[in-house]
Amino acid sequence: MIDWRPFLTELADIADNIAEHYFESVTLQPTQKPDRTPVTQADLEIETAIRNYTSKCHPNMTFLGEEFGSSGSEHTLRLIIDPIDGTQNFIRAIPIFGTLLAIEEHGEVIAAMISAPKLYQRWWAQKGCGSFQNGRQIHVSSVRSLNEAQVFHGSLSGPEAASTPPGLLSLLQQSWRQRGVGDFYAHMLVASGAGDLACDFGLKAWDIAPIPIIIREAGGQCTNLSGTTSIYDTSLISTNGHLHTKTLELLSSKHSIHE
């Protein structure tokens, strides 16, 4: 089995250098894509540099990235890239952003790394090898009751909440503590045991790809709303495993967050 950690570390180093150059820069000039999401020069440069470096190291590897799309199917050896997850945070100098990287082989993610340079954190996992944060192996929490759980979620209203499922309000009301962290970081808090479940909706494959393997290798459970594990859905539910069934039941309930 190939050890993908050195290669993904090299890619993360490339991404971090570019992100740190632009973070808090007065020259950062975000523009809006056709889907009305923002993009910066940092997003474009990171993905370009990662693709170029990968093509030299692994010329047969194909790509799926947020900024430049797909150059192969999930049935090839493929690198999935989100150059900056949390671009809105990045634009406003909030340090909760990161580069998301996943190696997909025959439709399955077999290795992943997330690098958050301004949090000074990296998370890494490979199939069958466990999950790690800055070199330390991590595990999900042992909380078994929702009324003792810390829950992370994204936006509750506005355009970003358009895909919010009907039962989120009920889930939050039954939990012990709630925080609107969002993006990759919410799920990494679950992986490290700092939280017990995280919900995210309206996603793309590059937003999701590295997260499930990190959660599962840490002992947790990660699915979409329907309970399946495809990264090509638009929802992501990460839990410590003990709370997963109850979480899916509540998210699918009839009570709407907007009622």
Side-chain angles (χ1 to χ4, degrees):
M1 180 176 65
I2 296 174
D3 178 5
W4 288 106
R5 183 171 185 173
F7 171 63
L8 290 176
T9 298
E10 290 171 348
L11 297 185
D13 288 344
I14 290 169
D16 286 359
N17 286 337
I18 297 171
E20 296 210 34
H21 172 75
Y22 283 103
F23 188 68
E24 295 185 302
S25 171
V26 295
T27 63
L28 188 67
Q29 307 240 342
T31 58
Q32 197 172 78
K33 294 186 283 190
D35 64 0
R36 301 183 67 185
T37 59
V39 62
T40 70
Q41 189 63 23
D43 295 88
L44 300 173
E45 287 189 19
I46 289 170
E47 187 166 330
T48 297
I50 285 174
R51 284 174 179 251
N52 289 342
Y53 187 81
T54 300
S55 294
K56 294 175 183 176
C57 298
H58 298 279
N60 294 325
M61 188 173 285
T62 62
F63 301 97
L64 174 63
E66 178 173 9
E67 306 308 335
F68 299 111
S70 174
S71 67
S73 76
E74 66 268 27
H75 300 294
T76 61
L77 185 64
R78 182 158 77 162
L79 178 67
I80 304 176
I81 313 159
D82 188 343
I84 297 182
D85 188 52
T87 300
Q88 293 277 15
N89 286 349
F90 185 79
I91 290 168
R92 304 196 69 171
I94 298 170
I96 304 175
F97 68 89
T99 297
L100 279 54
L101 303 164
I103 304 290
E104 183 186 51
E105 186 175 42
H106 304 304
E108 179 186 14
V109 173
I110 58 170
M113 182 171 286
I114 295 175
S115 186
K118 286 303 179 181
L119 297 178
Y120 306 99
Q121 300 290 328
R122 278 186 187 170
W123 297 265
W124 145 263
Q126 184 156 328
K127 186 177 179 181
C129 298
S131 289
F132 297 83
Q133 179 180 357
N134 287 0
R136 174 182 62 88
Q137 189 164 11
I138 55 175
H139 304 278
V140 296
S141 74
S142 58
V143 171
R144 292 178 175 270
S145 175
L146 187 57
N147 63 17
E148 297 177 351
Q150 178 150 270
V151 179
F152 303 116
H153 59 84
S155 296
L156 299 180
S157 63
E160 288 190 349
S163 301
T164 299
L168 181 57
L169 180 59
S170 180
L171 173 67
L172 297 179
Q173 289 173 334
Q174 294 188 45
S175 66
W176 167 64
R177 192 168 186 257
Q178 316 80 33
R179 287 294 181 270
V181 178
D183 298 321
F184 73 92
Y185 191 50
H187 302 279
M188 294 304 96
L189 290 171
V190 174
S192 66
D196 310 301
L197 69 95
C199 307
D200 229 341
F201 313 102
L203 306 179
K204 303 292 187 181
W206 45 78
D207 301 310
I208 296 173
I211 293 171
I213 189 172
I214 296 174
I215 294 289
R216 292 176 194 135
E217 289 291 325
Q221 194 168 352
C222 197
T223 71
N224 52 38
L225 276 171
S226 62
T228 62
T229 58
S230 171
I231 66 170
Y232 298 97
D233 195 81
T234 60
S235 58
L236 187 64
I237 315 300
S238 299
T239 75
N240 63 4
H242 302 300
L243 304 173
H244 208 82
T245 299
K246 182 65 172 179
T247 297
L248 293 182
E249 287 176 356
L250 287 171
L251 288 173
S252 300
S253 69
K254 64 182 179 179
H255 301 292
S256 171
I257 188 73
H258 301 295
E259 290 177 353

